[in-house]
Amino acid sequence: MNHGWRARFAALSVLALAGACAAQPGQPTSEEATLVEDGRQIAVAQCAGCHAVGEYGESPNPAAPVFRSLLSRYRSDVLEDELISGIQVAHEMPEFQFNPQGADALIEYLRSIQTPPPG
């Protein structure tokens, strides 16, 4: 009888530990983390020549906004649509189009690095 209680206690302990190790609210899942990393790679490869694509630094092209505050200027859904259809902006920018998966990854990366505007 005592052995059965111990076995149930051990099983419940393992389940509780497994639940504690699962993704916590606000923490990205491995799928989300992969999407963010894919977006980071796209930003570095396609955008870093003009834009500051990380969490700090200034853009090499002063007319190109830094990525860490981009979503305070543009709605993410509109920006994603424009990335897919071919973005038109005020500063000179090479022509390009992203496929929906690439645009989604880039938007998720942008979301992950946003900082509040100063002031």
Side-chain angles (χ1 to χ4, degrees), residues 16-87:
L17 182 59
C21 293
Q24 300 297 315
Q27 291 183 338
T29 64
S30 63
E31 189 174 294
E32 290 167 333
T34 298
L35 192 61
V36 167
E37 177 56 22
D38 289 348
R40 186 192 70 74
Q41 289 178 12
I42 290 168
V44 168
Q46 302 294 322
C47 311
C50 295
H51 296 270
V53 298
E55 296 180 42
Y56 55 88
E58 297 303 316
S59 294
N61 177 346
V66 298
F67 274 19
R68 67 185 169 275
S69 64
L70 199 62
L71 296 182
S72 68
R73 299 170 65 178
Y74 302 98
R75 286 187 17 209
S76 61
D77 59 330
V78 172
L79 183 57
E80 186 170 10
D81 288 344
E82 288 182 359
L83 289 169
I84 293 168
S85 64
I87 195 165

Side-chain angles (χ1 to χ4, degrees), residues 70-116:
L70 199 62
L71 296 182
S72 68
R73 299 170 65 178
Y74 302 98
R75 286 187 17 209
S76 61
D77 59 330
V78 172
L79 183 57
E80 186 170 10
D81 288 344
E82 288 182 359
L83 289 169
I84 293 168
S85 64
I87 195 165
Q88 301 294 318
V89 294
H91 66 279
E92 274 192 48
M93 200 163 99
E95 286 188 36
F96 64 87
Q97 286 180 278
F98 287 95
N99 63 34
Q101 295 81 12
D104 189 38
L106 185 57
I107 295 297
E108 284 305 311
Y109 173 68
L110 289 172
R111 285 183 179 133
S112 77
I113 63 166
Q114 293 307 288
T115 57

